[in-house]
């Protein structure tokens, strides 16, 4: 079977679950980002983020979470801006690196996450 989707190339849902786990541990340890997550049900959020990343990486599984612009309205009221977005992407990249994902795939993934900026920041 020809492996051409990023989802398979990085090792499928097991790798993505481990990346999202590592990522949120970093986000919650970051004093510039942690204040955005007090209300969030982190177990549910981790599960939704795994679905979202699976979808972004070309998995045939559907993303059952809500619209990104709407989901971040509360965070925007709290002052969410480009700096927070850049910091969060930095934690994604660190998590990909820590899980040993090849640099090319990590760079491709950062490009895909960047496409969420306008929805998350509501512009
Ligand atoms: C590439 C950037 C981002 C992606 C792909 C992303 C993705 C998501 C997804 C899939 C959800 C779940 C939506 C739902 O509940 O249906 C979510 C919720 C959330 N995100 Fe993001 N997000 C991003 C950036 C950020 C940033 C920069 C912050 C704040 C620093 C943030 C804070 C939150 C919070 C607090 C929630 C939970 C909302 C709630 O349930 O009350 N996100 N995000």
């Amino acid at each position: 079977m020809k492996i051409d989707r990023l989802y398979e190339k990085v090792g499928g849902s097991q790798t993505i679950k481990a990346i999202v786990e590592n990522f949120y541990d970093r986000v919650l340890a970051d004093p510039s980002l942690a204040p955005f997550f007090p209300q969030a049900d982190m177990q549910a959020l981790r599960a939704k983020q795994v679905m979202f990343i699976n979808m972004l990486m070309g998995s045939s599984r559907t993303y059952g979470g809500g619209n990104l612009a709407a989901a971040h309205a509360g965070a925007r009221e709290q002052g969410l801006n480009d700096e927070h977005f850049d910091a969060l992407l930095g934690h994604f990249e660190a998590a990909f690196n820590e899980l040993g994902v090849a640099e090319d795939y990590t760079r491709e993934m950062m490009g895909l996450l960047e496409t969420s900026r306008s929805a998350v920041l509501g512009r």
Side-chain angles (χ1 to χ4, degrees), residues 85-103:
F85 191 92
D86 294 342
L88 185 121
L89 249 58
H91 293 308
F92 257 125
E93 189 161 7
F96 273 82
N97 292 339
E98 181 152 341
L99 270 294
V101 174
E103 232 176 278

PDB file of all heavy atoms in Angstrom, residues 85-103:
ATOM      1  N   PHE A  85      -0.696  32.636  19.612  1.00  0.00           N
ATOM      2  CA  PHE A  85      -0.790  31.661  18.524  1.00  0.00           C
ATOM      3  C   PHE A  85       0.612  31.150  18.180  1.00  0.00           C
ATOM      4  O   PHE A  85       0.831  29.939  18.082  1.00  0.00           O
ATOM      5  CB  PHE A  85      -1.451  32.288  17.289  1.00  0.00           C
ATOM      6  CG  PHE A  85      -1.814  31.290  16.230  1.00  0.00           C
ATOM      7  CD1 PHE A  85      -3.071  30.708  16.210  1.00  0.00           C
ATOM      8  CD2 PHE A  85      -0.888  30.907  15.262  1.00  0.00           C
ATOM      9  CE1 PHE A  85      -3.403  29.762  15.245  1.00  0.00           C
ATOM     10  CE2 PHE A  85      -1.218  29.968  14.284  1.00  0.00           C
ATOM     11  CZ  PHE A  85      -2.479  29.402  14.280  1.00  0.00           C
ATOM     12  N   ASP A  86       1.584  32.080  18.068  1.00  0.00           N
ATOM     13  CA  ASP A  86       2.968  31.682  17.754  1.00  0.00           C
ATOM     14  C   ASP A  86       3.544  30.800  18.863  1.00  0.00           C
ATOM     15  O   ASP A  86       4.205  29.800  18.587  1.00  0.00           O
ATOM     16  CB  ASP A  86       3.848  32.936  17.578  1.00  0.00           C
ATOM     17  CG  ASP A  86       3.449  33.761  16.358  1.00  0.00           C
ATOM     18  OD1 ASP A  86       2.741  33.197  15.477  1.00  0.00           O
ATOM     19  OD2 ASP A  86       3.777  34.967  16.315  1.00  0.00           O
ATOM     20  N   ALA A  87       3.255  31.160  20.118  1.00  0.00           N
ATOM     21  CA  ALA A  87       3.774  30.363  21.250  1.00  0.00           C
ATOM     22  C   ALA A  87       3.195  28.944  21.201  1.00  0.00           C
ATOM     23  O   ALA A  87       3.922  27.952  21.373  1.00  0.00           O
ATOM     24  CB  ALA A  87       3.409  31.037  22.573  1.00  0.00           C
ATOM     25  N   LEU A  88       1.892  28.859  20.908  1.00  0.00           N
ATOM     26  CA  LEU A  88       1.240  27.543  20.849  1.00  0.00           C
ATOM     27  C   LEU A  88       1.827  26.695  19.720  1.00  0.00           C
ATOM     28  O   LEU A  88       2.110  25.511  19.890  1.00  0.00           O
ATOM     29  CB  LEU A  88      -0.266  27.721  20.661  1.00  0.00           C
ATOM     30  CG  LEU A  88      -1.088  26.458  20.707  1.00  0.00           C
ATOM     31  CD1 LEU A  88      -2.130  26.538  21.819  1.00  0.00           C
ATOM     32  CD2 LEU A  88      -1.728  26.154  19.377  1.00  0.00           C
ATOM     33  N   LEU A  89       2.070  27.334  18.566  1.00  0.00           N
ATOM     34  CA  LEU A  89       2.668  26.587  17.447  1.00  0.00           C
ATOM     35  C   LEU A  89       4.077  26.097  17.816  1.00  0.00           C
ATOM     36  O   LEU A  89       4.471  24.989  17.457  1.00  0.00           O
ATOM     37  CB  LEU A  89       2.718  27.464  16.183  1.00  0.00           C
ATOM     38  CG  LEU A  89       1.769  27.003  15.075  1.00  0.00           C
ATOM     39  CD1 LEU A  89       0.335  26.985  15.572  1.00  0.00           C
ATOM     40  CD2 LEU A  89       1.924  27.816  13.828  1.00  0.00           C
ATOM     41  N   GLY A  90       4.790  26.933  18.615  1.00  0.00           N
ATOM     42  CA  GLY A  90       6.131  26.529  19.074  1.00  0.00           C
ATOM     43  C   GLY A  90       6.053  25.244  19.902  1.00  0.00           C
ATOM     44  O   GLY A  90       6.916  24.356  19.784  1.00  0.00           O
ATOM     45  N   HIS A  91       4.999  25.125  20.709  1.00  0.00           N
ATOM     46  CA  HIS A  91       4.841  23.910  21.529  1.00  0.00           C
ATOM     47  C   HIS A  91       4.468  22.705  20.668  1.00  0.00           C
ATOM     48  O   HIS A  91       4.892  21.581  20.949  1.00  0.00           O
ATOM     49  CB  HIS A  91       3.794  24.149  22.621  1.00  0.00           C
ATOM     50  CG  HIS A  91       4.222  25.148  23.648  1.00  0.00           C
ATOM     51  ND1 HIS A  91       5.434  25.051  24.317  1.00  0.00           N
ATOM     52  CD2 HIS A  91       3.632  26.286  24.086  1.00  0.00           C
ATOM     53  CE1 HIS A  91       5.555  26.083  25.149  1.00  0.00           C
ATOM     54  NE2 HIS A  91       4.485  26.853  25.024  1.00  0.00           N
ATOM     55  N   PHE A  92       3.705  22.953  19.596  1.00  0.00           N
ATOM     56  CA  PHE A  92       3.394  21.843  18.673  1.00  0.00           C
ATOM     57  C   PHE A  92       4.698  21.337  18.051  1.00  0.00           C
ATOM     58  O   PHE A  92       4.978  20.143  18.034  1.00  0.00           O
ATOM     59  CB  PHE A  92       2.459  22.314  17.549  1.00  0.00           C
ATOM     60  CG  PHE A  92       1.027  21.903  17.714  1.00  0.00           C
ATOM     61  CD1 PHE A  92       0.013  22.857  17.707  1.00  0.00           C
ATOM     62  CD2 PHE A  92       0.677  20.574  17.874  1.00  0.00           C
ATOM     63  CE1 PHE A  92      -1.325  22.492  17.865  1.00  0.00           C
ATOM     64  CE2 PHE A  92      -0.663  20.205  18.022  1.00  0.00           C
ATOM     65  CZ  PHE A  92      -1.669  21.168  18.021  1.00  0.00           C
ATOM     66  N   GLU A  93       5.522  22.289  17.579  1.00  0.00           N
ATOM     67  CA  GLU A  93       6.776  21.916  16.908  1.00  0.00           C
ATOM     68  C   GLU A  93       7.682  21.142  17.879  1.00  0.00           C
ATOM     69  O   GLU A  93       8.233  20.097  17.526  1.00  0.00           O
ATOM     70  CB  GLU A  93       7.497  23.170  16.407  1.00  0.00           C
ATOM     71  CG  GLU A  93       8.681  22.830  15.519  1.00  0.00           C
ATOM     72  CD  GLU A  93       9.105  24.020  14.665  1.00  0.00           C
ATOM     73  OE1 GLU A  93       8.571  25.133  14.854  1.00  0.00           O
ATOM     74  OE2 GLU A  93       9.967  23.815  13.774  1.00  0.00           O
ATOM     75  N   ALA A  94       7.776  21.623  19.128  1.00  0.00           N
ATOM     76  CA  ALA A  94       8.617  20.937  20.129  1.00  0.00           C
ATOM     77  C   ALA A  94       8.099  19.524  20.387  1.00  0.00           C
ATOM     78  O   ALA A  94       8.885  18.578  20.521  1.00  0.00           O
ATOM     79  CB  ALA A  94       8.627  21.756  21.424  1.00  0.00           C
ATOM     80  N   ALA A  95       6.769  19.367  20.408  1.00  0.00           N
ATOM     81  CA  ALA A  95       6.190  18.041  20.652  1.00  0.00           C
ATOM     82  C   ALA A  95       6.485  17.098  19.474  1.00  0.00           C
ATOM     83  O   ALA A  95       6.856  15.940  19.676  1.00  0.00           O
ATOM     84  CB  ALA A  95       4.677  18.162  20.869  1.00  0.00           C
ATOM     85  N   PHE A  96       6.377  17.603  18.250  1.00  0.00           N
ATOM     86  CA  PHE A  96       6.718  16.789  17.072  1.00  0.00           C
ATOM     87  C   PHE A  96       8.181  16.358  17.147  1.00  0.00           C
ATOM     88  O   PHE A  96       8.515  15.195  16.907  1.00  0.00           O
ATOM     89  CB  PHE A  96       6.465  17.579  15.779  1.00  0.00           C
ATOM     90  CG  PHE A  96       5.061  17.478  15.272  1.00  0.00           C
ATOM     91  CD1 PHE A  96       4.051  18.261  15.784  1.00  0.00           C
ATOM     92  CD2 PHE A  96       4.750  16.577  14.272  1.00  0.00           C
ATOM     93  CE1 PHE A  96       2.758  18.149  15.321  1.00  0.00           C
ATOM     94  CE2 PHE A  96       3.445  16.456  13.800  1.00  0.00           C
ATOM     95  CZ  PHE A  96       2.450  17.253  14.331  1.00  0.00           C
ATOM     96  N   ASN A  97       9.048  17.315  17.502  1.00  0.00           N
ATOM     97  CA  ASN A  97      10.487  16.992  17.593  1.00  0.00           C
ATOM     98  C   ASN A  97      10.731  15.954  18.678  1.00  0.00           C
ATOM     99  O   ASN A  97      11.447  14.977  18.471  1.00  0.00           O
ATOM    100  CB  ASN A  97      11.302  18.260  17.875  1.00  0.00           C
ATOM    101  CG  ASN A  97      11.272  19.216  16.693  1.00  0.00           C
ATOM    102  OD1 ASN A  97      10.999  18.808  15.560  1.00  0.00           O
ATOM    103  ND2 ASN A  97      11.492  20.506  16.954  1.00  0.00           N
ATOM    104  N   GLU A  98      10.085  16.151  19.842  1.00  0.00           N
ATOM    105  CA  GLU A  98      10.316  15.216  20.955  1.00  0.00           C
ATOM    106  C   GLU A  98       9.854  13.807  20.595  1.00  0.00           C
ATOM    107  O   GLU A  98      10.444  12.823  21.026  1.00  0.00           O
ATOM    108  CB  GLU A  98       9.606  15.696  22.228  1.00  0.00           C
ATOM    109  CG  GLU A  98       9.851  14.749  23.389  1.00  0.00           C
ATOM    110  CD  GLU A  98       9.803  15.404  24.761  1.00  0.00           C
ATOM    111  OE1 GLU A  98       9.943  16.635  24.837  1.00  0.00           O
ATOM    112  OE2 GLU A  98       9.623  14.651  25.723  1.00  0.00           O
ATOM    113  N   LEU A  99       8.809  13.699  19.781  1.00  0.00           N
ATOM    114  CA  LEU A  99       8.315  12.368  19.393  1.00  0.00           C
ATOM    115  C   LEU A  99       9.077  11.826  18.180  1.00  0.00           C
ATOM    116  O   LEU A  99       8.721  10.789  17.620  1.00  0.00           O
ATOM    117  CB  LEU A  99       6.809  12.431  19.077  1.00  0.00           C
ATOM    118  CG  LEU A  99       5.864  12.176  20.227  1.00  0.00           C
ATOM    119  CD1 LEU A  99       5.956  10.737  20.732  1.00  0.00           C
ATOM    120  CD2 LEU A  99       5.986  13.149  21.379  1.00  0.00           C
ATOM    121  N   GLY A 100      10.121  12.572  17.752  1.00  0.00           N
ATOM    122  CA  GLY A 100      11.008  12.068  16.701  1.00  0.00           C
ATOM    123  C   GLY A 100      10.422  12.091  15.302  1.00  0.00           C
ATOM    124  O   GLY A 100      10.839  11.321  14.435  1.00  0.00           O
ATOM    125  N   VAL A 101       9.449  12.980  15.055  1.00  0.00           N
ATOM    126  CA  VAL A 101       8.886  13.089  13.701  1.00  0.00           C
ATOM    127  C   VAL A 101       9.920  13.748  12.787  1.00  0.00           C
ATOM    128  O   VAL A 101      10.595  14.700  13.194  1.00  0.00           O
ATOM    129  CB  VAL A 101       7.581  13.908  13.722  1.00  0.00           C
ATOM    130  CG1 VAL A 101       7.069  14.151  12.309  1.00  0.00           C
ATOM    131  CG2 VAL A 101       6.525  13.200  14.563  1.00  0.00           C
ATOM    132  N   ALA A 102      10.063  13.222  11.549  1.00  0.00           N
ATOM    133  CA  ALA A 102      11.055  13.766  10.600  1.00  0.00           C
ATOM    134  C   ALA A 102      10.807  15.255  10.360  1.00  0.00           C
ATOM    135  O   ALA A 102       9.649  15.698  10.318  1.00  0.00           O
ATOM    136  CB  ALA A 102      10.952  13.008   9.276  1.00  0.00           C
ATOM    137  N   GLU A 103      11.906  16.009  10.193  1.00  0.00           N
ATOM    138  CA  GLU A 103      11.806  17.465  10.054  1.00  0.00           C
ATOM    139  C   GLU A 103      10.884  17.888   8.908  1.00  0.00           C
ATOM    140  O   GLU A 103      10.080  18.815   9.063  1.00  0.00           O
ATOM    141  CB  GLU A 103      13.202  18.043   9.813  1.00  0.00           C
ATOM    142  CG  GLU A 103      13.549  19.189  10.786  1.00  0.00           C
ATOM    143  CD  GLU A 103      14.978  19.636  10.531  1.00  0.00           C
ATOM    144  OE1 GLU A 103      15.879  18.960  11.068  1.00  0.00           O
ATOM    145  OE2 GLU A 103      15.160  20.584   9.765  1.00  0.00           O
TER     146      GLU A 103
END
